Amino acid sequence: MRYNWNWSVLFADPYLGWILTGLGWTVLVSLCAWIIGLALGSVIGTMRTLPSPVARAIGSAYVEVFRNIPLLVQIFLFYFVLPELLPREWGRWLKRDLPHPEFTVAVVSLGLYTACRVAEQVRAGIATAGRGQASAGLATGLTLTQVYRLILLPLAFRLTIPALTNEFLNVFKNSSLALTIGVLELTARTRAVADYTYQSIEAFVVASVIYASISFLIAFIMRRVEERARLPGTLGTGAR
Amino acid sequence: MITLEHVSKWYGATQVLDDCSTRIEKGEVVVVCGPSGSGKSTLIKCVNGLEPFQKGVITVDGTSVGDPKTNLPKLRSRIGMVFQSFELYPHMNVTENICLAQRHVLKRSEDAARARALELLERVGLKSHADRFPATLSGGQQQRVAIARALALDPIAMLFDEPTSALDPEMINEVLDVMTELAKEGMTMVVVTHEMGFARRVADRVLFMDAGAIVEDAKTAAFFEKPKSERAVRFLSKILHH
Amino acid sequence: MSSFDFNVIVNALPLLWEGMQITLLLTAFGILGGLALGIVLAVMRLSRSRLLGFIAGAYVDLLRSLPLVLLIFWFYFLVPIAVGHPVGGFYSAVIGFILFEAAYFCEIIRSGIEGVRRGQVMAGLASGLTQAQCMRLVVLPQAFRAMLPVLLMQSINVFKSTSLVYVIGLRDFLTAADLIGGRDNRLTEMYILVAVVFFVICWTASHAVGRLERRISA
């Protein structure tokens, strides 16, 4: 294998700037999508455990649809297809006037996809927290809403911290798909650096190190959080 | 037949067994009791080498358990063990559970293993359940199968690790009956249990443990009539009067 | 939008089928290769050797922290440099998928084996089985039942994630549909078709796995 190593090119103008702004977009897309995913996912996961059959049906339909279509296809559906299917006025607004269209579509579709995965974790957490807890709460005169707010959801979130951390890491990695509709995030920028400089190995090594370090950092922090949140006297779900 | 000489064991810095010595003769039934966390289960798991120990010597029928040259699988196949949570293999039916070690350790033929299994199932009153899976049996039934599984290897001694602790009260007696029967036939038995009625009726000797040490080692009658140590008195008063 | 045109789809079927064959081939390589390498890694992680365990652990942690898209690019650029001539997107994608999925398969296998209760091992050892016999006769059969549904679910994920080869222009199902849609100006029909096809296949498969899981645990 013949290959001319040249690490310094990565720190030269403009490539260092590309990689850093790419990282910025990756972080921004991930965080925004995560907020949508966590909020919507909690609602949908909760719906799937409610007594109402309608709520359950809506919740499970959502999860089935978003889980069984590849994320990349979902992004294309939102970016290319949705404006065509909506009423003319709305479609025109989406195509012409939506601010930062690539970024917004990436965040929304990644958020909606993440929501279906978060929903499954939240539902499992509530199921583990248990019917017994719910009956105990109801027996003391709490309303169903109070039972969820005061007992089931706090327990479910504690139980699912490791799983939710994992989902956040997934969002972080999945944000790379935003490059397909033109968001210049870290992977897109890395690819561009590789194309321009022909130093592809160096570029990909740097990107890999950045992704891995951030993943490890998040995993490390969340393990601390989980230890804090762990219920006294239990091993917690994150224990090996 | 089983001797323990100055056995000590540590988990990291915590000492869990403290200089334990005793001798169990052929045909003897010894009950080990004591508060939870006193090291009873750990002690009997040392006897067949499931738990390693750092100091002392344990011999079974002349073979040293702690000796690295000892063929542990062979030694273990000669000592039967029954666990608190049964530990039947969930992916095998009752007969297969009893045949597994017969086939793979003793190298018995399929037919011989089966015949022995059915014989033992008859003895524990579960012949009609030979083809059932463990999960479909009650706790008491599972534990009787586990006893049959241990007996199938024709052991020279049996270890029982709290065999009735995981059972509902109405199932305890069916298991104790099988054990009593076994004791009457002259099996050498070491039983960790809180069932003091069983101990009084069946045991020849009682070992009382506390904080990893054997505090009392006495004939059954002597132990229950006048225990020597303050700790045993307190333990008995808690467990007998409620 | 202009009315939905089914003729577009009918005319595109031969090209779409070619794309689907690439997708299925990638999936098959990803699952089989990933599983084979995953088993090796799991054995390394569970072995008594600290060094082997560390190597496998580091590999798994690293690969699981990287986006698949990045990995696909990695091999798209790296493989030609390594072998000295262009090899085409398909082979580099296959290598990327195998290395990536192996990390996930390894963890499924490892946690399946570690999920078997310690008491089961004790019971096996107490009856005189050797460590190896205990693994083969008691632990692995139980572990396999526990991990089979998870392995199948992961296989469905492999199928879905093959669509990412779009980024290197390899003509899988999605890329074929995208090319046709772009050519005939019928992207709407094409993307909806792709979504429906993926949905039907994945939904059917994951429900079958769900039924299998319930049968195993019953």
Side-chain angles (χ1 to χ4, degrees), chain A residues 161-206:
Chain A
I161 288 175
L164 290 177
T165 304
N166 209 20
E167 287 310 326
F168 180 72
L169 293 175
N170 280 336
V171 178
F172 179 61
K173 289 182 279 175
N174 284 335
S175 66
S176 58
L177 268 63
L179 71 89
T180 55
I181 53 171
V183 177
L184 295 173
E185 47 65 71
L186 182 56
T187 303
R189 287 301 203 179
T190 307
R191 216 217 123 136
V193 171
D195 272 342
Y196 276 73
T197 63
Y198 299 106
Q199 300 299 329
S200 44
I201 297 182
E202 291 89 332
F204 287 119
V205 165
V206 166

Side-chain angles (χ1 to χ4, degrees), chain B residues 125-147:
Chain B
L126 290 170
K127 198 171 182 190
S128 57
H129 295 61
D131 296 327
R132 300 265 292 268
F133 277 82
T136 66
L137 302 181
S138 73
Q141 291 170 330
Q142 290 192 47
Q143 197 60 301
R144 284 187 282 155
V145 172
I147 294 174

Side-chain angles (χ1 to χ4, degrees), chain B residues 45 48 50-51 72-74 76-77 79-81 83 85-92 100-101 104-105 107 133 149 153, chain C residues 116-131 133-134 136-143 145 217-218:
Chain B
K45 283 186 176 135
N48 64 354
L50 283 179
E51 294 277 2
L72 269 185
K74 185 156 179 240
R76 286 170 182 153
S77 72
I79 314 169
M81 183 159 197
F83 296 84
S85 42
F86 330 133
E87 303 299 352
L88 294 180
Y89 310 128
H91 57 302
M92 299 177 184
L100 183 80
H104 292 272
V105 179
K107 310 288 183 197
F133 277 82
R149 180 174 71 177
L153 304 176
Chain C
V116 175
R117 294 196 4 264
R118 179 116 184 81
Q120 290 282 308
V121 181
M122 287 242 175
L125 293 177
S127 65
L129 296 177
T130 62
Q131 290 275 358
Q133 284 177 319
C134 211
R136 184 163 57 84
L137 300 165
V138 177
V139 177
L140 281 182
Q142 293 184 50
R145 276 153 190 260
S217 61

